Amino acid sequence: MKVDVLLGLQWGDEGKGKVVDVLTPRYDVVARFQGGPNAGHTLEFNGQKYVLRSIPSGIFQGDKVNLIGNGVVLDPALFKAEAEALEAAGHPLKERLHISKKAHLIMPTHRLLDAAYEAAKGDAKVGTTGKGIGPTYTDKVSRNGLRVGDILHDFERKYEAAKARHIQMLEGLHYGPYELADMEKAWLEGIEYLKQFHLVDSEHEVNRLLAEGKSVLCEGAQGTMLDVDFGSYPFVTSSNTICAGACTGLGVAPNKIGEVYGIFKAYCTRVGAGPFPTELFDETGDRICTLGHEFGSVTGRKRRCGWIDLVALRYAIMVDGVTQLIMMKSDVLDAFETIKACVAYKVGGEEIDYFPFDISEGIEPVYVELPGWKTDMTKMQSEDEFPEEFNAYLSFLEEQLGVPIKFVSIGPDRQQTIERYVEEV
Ligand code: GDP
Ligand code: IMO
Ligand code: MG
């Protein structure tokens, strides 16, 4: 049995939560492998909407194992609030949700450090989600982190030592005044709450399940262009969001990876600072934002909007090894006369079709303009109903990207998903 991986190919918020929920019935296990509560994954079904941050999006589809892997960073206070809300809404978690003992803990002082580092950056702010992601991964790599497994033994001493270190750092950054007591209280309650869950060695668990013939779907957070190595550095998150992150974030070997689903919007968005070559600053950008309800699911921040960037997508497909594409939110473009797609960049008068080292300035997108389909597609049930112009748009993208588009999402609801290339039995 193989591990399939679902990844955002752009700057996050592609619709990963929705698709993981749709695909979950085909799997036994759903696992998060990186990121933390910087993620906001939205699902809609039966007229209900849920936003998940640390809990995998497979939690609503029956008795599947949902796993939070070692590569994730977990804030116990936020986790407790998220889990309790789900349980109160009638979705029991305790038996189905397993958490790696090797996942790192986001401390209240990590959140303060996140704010302090941003403040110190002046005009060069990353525009982080403020959830302490960067400082927690920094502590992990510099071998100072606290892990979920640490809460089981001699925890207070470890916590106090880490906190004292952070307070010194905050002093060094001249950050303050700040209020820690309330945050700390909620956090310590979260630590006690965590103890009620199955705390596991995720690498053993995943490999045992695979050996038993079980199938695993990995749920990426953020997107490839936010990857700490391959994204638009330094305007990135602090984890490996690419396919390889599933190996290090769960303890599965590369040869266990099967399908890689790459998910993208029919246009492009970005939240936070950093370069975005196809960003629109005009009415069209505003129209996409309004029709697509492009406001962050966690922070409520307005997302920057622009046309689809095929140069960046080809790059993402390459570093992720994508085998199947999933196109989201095409319904947002349903009424457009024409639709643009960036097929190359012009840099210093020269046209390039590869993703360069630096996209921070001097990049002029080269567009192809395609006819819109001008049809409300939101109630369609199968690809037989697709308008001709929409099929032409799909064929154009497949030719440009070299990978088949296996699913098209035509609305936020679970039902508004159309599978293509379904093999006849
Ligand atoms: P994620 O972080 O990748 O899971 O994506 P988010 O949940 O942050 O953002 C995607 C948003 O688009 C959510 O509000 C979804 O409900 C919504 N959405 C997902 N698929 C579609 C779609 O096909 N059409 C429309 N109009 N909205 C969608
Ligand atoms: P999902 O999983 C969109 C962005 C932030 C900021 C940068 C670094 O819902 O797609 P961080 O708090 O991670 O240090 O912020 O990354 N960012 C996201 N943008 N979707 C996300 O997650 C994001 N998670 C982080 O806006 O620019
Ligand atoms: Mg999101």
Side-chain angles (χ1 to χ4, degrees), residues 5-291:
V5 187
L6 182 136
L7 304 161
L9 299 183
Q10 295 163 321
W11 276 285
D13 301 330
E14 296 88 351
K16 298 174 290 291
K18 170 185 163 162
V19 176
V20 168
D21 172 61
V22 168
L23 292 176
T24 296
R26 303 178 187 192
Y27 293 88
D28 301 301
V29 182
V30 177
R32 280 275 306 266
F33 58 89
Q34 47 69 234
N38 48 349
H41 294 181
T42 315
L43 294 80
E44 283 190 43
F45 57 90
N46 302 339
Q48 293 280 342
K49 182 169 164 173
Y50 298 91
V51 180
L52 299 176
R53 298 162 80 167
S54 298
I55 294 172
S57 300
I59 209 75
F60 300 106
Q61 297 272 21
D63 229 4
K64 312 285 176 166
V65 173
N66 280 260
L67 182 63
I68 296 180
N70 57 279
V72 171
V73 288
L74 195 69
D75 181 325
L78 294 178
F79 171 77
K80 177 170 180 276
E82 185 179 339
E84 284 182 339
L86 285 175
E87 295 221 304
H91 302 285
L93 296 175
K94 298 222 170 78
E95 286 310 310
R96 294 184 289 147
L97 185 61
H98 300 186
I99 303 171
S100 170
K101 284 191 260 182
K102 294 193 175 73
H104 279 246
L105 291 170
I106 303 176
M107 296 169 53
T109 38
H110 282 132
R111 292 178 69 164
L112 295 174
L113 282 166
D114 196 353
Y117 286 131
E118 281 284 84
K121 277 186 176 247
D123 289 343
K125 287 186 186 20
V126 176
T128 73
T129 58
K131 297 289 179 286
I133 304 297
T136 307
Y137 278 116
T138 303
D139 271 357
K140 172 178 174 172
V141 175
S142 65
R143 299 158 292 191
N144 287 302
L146 290 183
R147 299 183 295 173
V148 168
D150 289 326
I151 70 176
L152 302 173
H153 178 66
D154 193 19
F155 183 60
E156 201 181 322
R157 185 190 56 78
K158 295 177 209 161
Y159 171 69
E160 290 299 333
K163 184 174 90 177
R165 216 180 112 256
H166 290 164
I167 287 172
Q168 258 186 6
M169 290 162 77
L170 288 164
E171 275 167 21
L173 288 159
H174 307 292
Y175 185 76
Y178 52 80
E179 173 56 60
L180 191 55
D182 286 350
M183 280 165 87
E184 197 171 36
K185 183 170 172 288
W187 193 82
L188 290 169
E189 284 166 12
I191 291 289
E192 285 309 307
Y193 182 74
L194 260 186
K195 291 180 183 164
Q196 303 171 29
F197 285 80
H198 290 283
L199 307 182
V200 299
D201 294 308
S202 58
E203 65 281 29
H204 288 301
E205 173 153 331
V206 170
N207 284 290
R208 176 177 53 75
L209 289 165
L210 286 171
E212 288 170 5
K214 301 280 198 303
S215 55
V216 180
L217 175 63
C218 299
E219 173 179 3
Q222 291 78 54
T224 301
M225 303 316 291
L226 288 170
D227 181 88
V228 67
D229 281 279
F230 298 103
S232 48
Y233 192 89
F235 299 97
V236 293
T237 191
S238 299
S239 65
N240 278 119
T241 61
I242 61 167
C243 185
C247 296
T248 57
L250 281 172
V252 294
N255 62 1
K256 297 266 169 48
I257 302 294
E259 296 295 329
V260 182
Y261 303 104
I263 168 166
F264 65 99
K265 284 178 187 166
Y267 48 95
C268 195
T269 64
R270 169 161 210 175
V271 56
F276 179 2
T278 59
E279 183 169 12
L280 291 167
F281 300 95
D282 58 7
E283 277 173 18
T284 310
D286 289 343
R287 192 172 168 206
I288 294 176
C289 180
T290 307
L291 292 172

